[in-house]
Amino acid sequence: MRPSTGVTRLVALTGIWLGLASSLPSSGKDDPDVITRDVAIIGGGASGTYAAVRLKQLGQSVVLIEQEDRLGGHTKTYDDNGTPIDYGVWVYANTTEARNFFAYLNIPTTVQNFNRDPGRNQRYDFRTGEFVPPPSGNVTDAMMRYVLLLMQHPYLEDGWDLPDPVPEDLLLSFRDFIEKYDLAAAVETLTLYVQGLGDILDCPTVYIMKYFNMNVVQGIQSGFLRPASFNNSQTYGAAAANLGDDLLLSSTILQMNRSTSDDKVGKESTTGSKTDYPQTILVRTPSGLKTIQASKILITIPPILANLNAFDLDARESHAFAKFRATTYTTSILQITGLPQTIQFVNSGTDTPYNICPVPGTYVLVPTSDPTLRLAFFGGGGGSDADTNSKRGDGDGDGDELPFDTIRHIMTDNVLSLRNAGYDVSVPEIRAYGNHYPFGLRVSAEEIADGFYRDLYGLQGYRGTYYSGAAFHAHNSGALWRFTERVITEYGLAG
């Protein structure tokens, strides 16, 4: 969350005021514009929403700040005349934390198995409309080899607590990993689940394993968890109702004044009340400026420097976050006629290694309950050259974010290429669109080997600030709920 240009002068004027924040009354009970809480949570996606609800359940006072007008982050749902169509988050890992979260919010769930009919997928090069045959070789055997390799690194399920030294296999480019273990036949299956990482073959293998993890393997085998309503936004609506006045939507952080040390903060006095509120946050809300005083802060938004301009980062924090590299990933609902409803169209390159999807491009066109609507998942190129970003030091990934007009143009061309395959497809119209940039935050293999994630996790609790979200674990809501539980208990956010 960064201040808009329209509030630049306001930030300057409030800077002096915030410098005096330590002298403000600690309770704020008599001032409706001062909010005093145990924990201030920044970002209302999967991690932030879970943390807010869970901390309240544990008896902590919280405030959740979200710049959008809704909770859910990557979760997006389109209303097709009363029928929900999820076009962001689809399904969830069937973890204990996920089941408990849904149950606490009174969300009935079901188990969804994906269609395993190999004839359901039709492969074409979306640049030309040329037909591409299915992968050669034994897909099942190749996937079994991958799973056995994945099982050698069980710690990846819990976060980024990597061994020292980091195992060589995890640092290999995915390209070299495929070669080393003869995984060519499994590449299509893996890449259909691992989207949004840009030039995936140049990506360190550890990121593939973090994405296509044992939760995904188990979901493919026995089904994924999902609300029985098939409306993932229902969960976040229930969470918003649970949070009530502890939720600030459409709100922007203008300035932050955090603790300058990593000493434990927010300790209880002998009377059981909080005695120290060293974190002060100025927030612009729809009802005016609010000052938040909190013992601790949990940040769950993508930690790139462009998002953290107002967060009073010190050199240690800036050095870590500047290394991240991001890619473009979007999800859309396209209105298209002329395609058979039961067929999923997969973008396979005729001239790419293992026929992987050419990027930037549309990964797949997925049928929905409406024969005229298709889910379209789109990924940008690049994003693997973290060294470039590290040397540049900006960490904002701006070079990898594709503008909407470019994405729309490429998606349109991708769809219309199927005319060359004999399908009388219409020009697609975008009915819903979700931009998930910055997506897939990562660093180079060299940075990983040098202890990047050890240093990143060393920020947990530093200056009274804690972290969760995909950059600190994985792009998997169920897995993130489990990791956030770890932040709350093991790292001491609720302590």
Side-chain angles (χ1 to χ4, degrees), residues 155-156 159-164 166 170-171 197 203-204 206-208 210 303 316 320-321 323-325 386 440-460 469-475 483 486 491:
Y155 44 84
L156 295 178
W160 280 100
D161 300 296
L162 301 174
D164 186 14
V166 180
L170 299 183
L171 300 176
L197 295 185
C203 190
V206 65
Y207 290 109
I208 311 304
K210 289 288 291 182
R316 176 181 173 186
F321 299 145
K323 290 180 169 63
F324 275 125
R325 188 77 168 172
L441 296 188
R442 58 193 184 276
V443 298
S444 70
E446 181 182 40
E447 292 284 358
I448 298 171
D450 286 345
F452 171 80
Y453 283 102
R454 177 198 62 224
D455 296 341
L456 187 73
Y457 273 31
L459 294 175
Q460 295 284 12
F472 280 78
H473 187 19
H475 279 288
F483 178 75
R486 181 182 176 193
Y491 290 135

Side-chain angles (χ1 to χ4, degrees), residues 137-157:
N138 192 314
V139 176
T140 301
D141 285 353
M143 282 302 303
M144 283 301 300
R145 284 194 294 277
Y146 173 82
V147 172
L148 290 173
L149 291 164
L150 182 61
M151 291 174 65
Q152 294 178 17
H153 309 285
Y155 44 84
L156 295 178
E157 294 299 304

Side-chain angles (χ1 to χ4, degrees), residues 4 21 40 104 139 150 159 161 215 219 282 289 296 316 325 397 432 484:
S4 66
Y104 183 70
V139 176
L150 182 61
D161 300 296
N215 285 324
L282 180 65
L289 294 180
K296 300 175 182 179
R316 176 181 173 186
R325 188 77 168 172
T484 304

Side-chain angles (χ1 to χ4, degrees), residues 308-325:
L308 306 175
N309 285 337
F311 286 46
D312 75 334
L313 300 181
D314 66 12
R316 176 181 173 186
E317 295 162 327
S318 297
H319 179 73
F321 299 145
K323 290 180 169 63
F324 275 125
R325 188 77 168 172

Side-chain angles (χ1 to χ4, degrees), residues 123-126 132 188 346-350 352 355-358:
R123 303 159 186 84
Y124 293 91
D125 189 321
F126 284 6
V132 178
E188 180 184 87
V346 178
N347 188 359
S348 300
T350 55
T352 56
N355 303 121
I356 64 169
C357 173

Side-chain angles (χ1 to χ4, degrees), residues 66 77 89 91 130 136 163 166 189 259 268 270 284 327:
E66 168 55 46
T77 307
V89 174
V91 291
E130 184 176 350
S136 60
V166 180
T189 300
S259 168
E268 291 187 0
T270 55
R284 183 180 61 184
T327 53

Side-chain angles (χ1 to χ4, degrees), residues 378 403-413 428 430 433:
F378 179 97
F404 171 74
D405 286 344
T406 299
I407 294 169
R408 179 176 56 184
H409 177 74
I410 295 174
M411 284 199 301
T412 299
D413 285 350
I430 297 177
Y433 179 79

